[in-house]
């Protein structure tokens, strides 16, 4: 059983890198789908939190949009 690693992220890019690292550790399609679902939700929610504080960069918007971020 995989242990969930919660990373205190400072940027959307760091969360995307963490998601990619987690995907590399997956063995099955089901594991990969769960990593994308959970990691994508985390990226989307973090982008929403950041957008409440400041304007997101185009790179942050691009990454978050991959996982359903619509913007405010």
């Amino acid at each position: 059983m995989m242990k969930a690693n919660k990373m205190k992220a400072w940027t959307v890019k760091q969360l995307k890198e963490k998601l990619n690292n987690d995907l590399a550790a997956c063995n099955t399609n089901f594991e990969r789908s769960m990593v994308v679902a959970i990691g994508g939700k985390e990226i989307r929610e973090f982008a929403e939190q950041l957008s409440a504080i400041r304007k997101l960069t185009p790179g942050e918007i691009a990454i978050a949009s991959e996982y359903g971020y619509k913007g405010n």
Side-chain angles (χ1 to χ4, degrees), residues 27-61:
N27 295 312
T28 66
N29 286 334
F30 178 73
E31 288 175 348
R32 282 184 278 281
S33 69
M34 291 296 104
V35 166
V36 170
I38 294 167
K41 180 179 183 233
E42 192 172 338
I43 289 171
R44 192 172 54 249
E45 289 175 350
F46 188 68
E48 290 169 359
Q49 291 172 0
L50 282 180
S51 70
I53 298 168
R54 63 171 175 79
K55 186 175 178 182
L56 296 178
T57 67
E60 289 172 331
I61 292 170

Side-chain angles (χ1 to χ4, degrees), residues 10 16 22 24-26 28 47-48 51 57 59 66 69:
W10 295 97
K16 173 70 174 179
D22 290 346
C26 293
T28 66
E48 290 169 359
S51 70
T57 67
E66 291 178 42
Y69 176 75

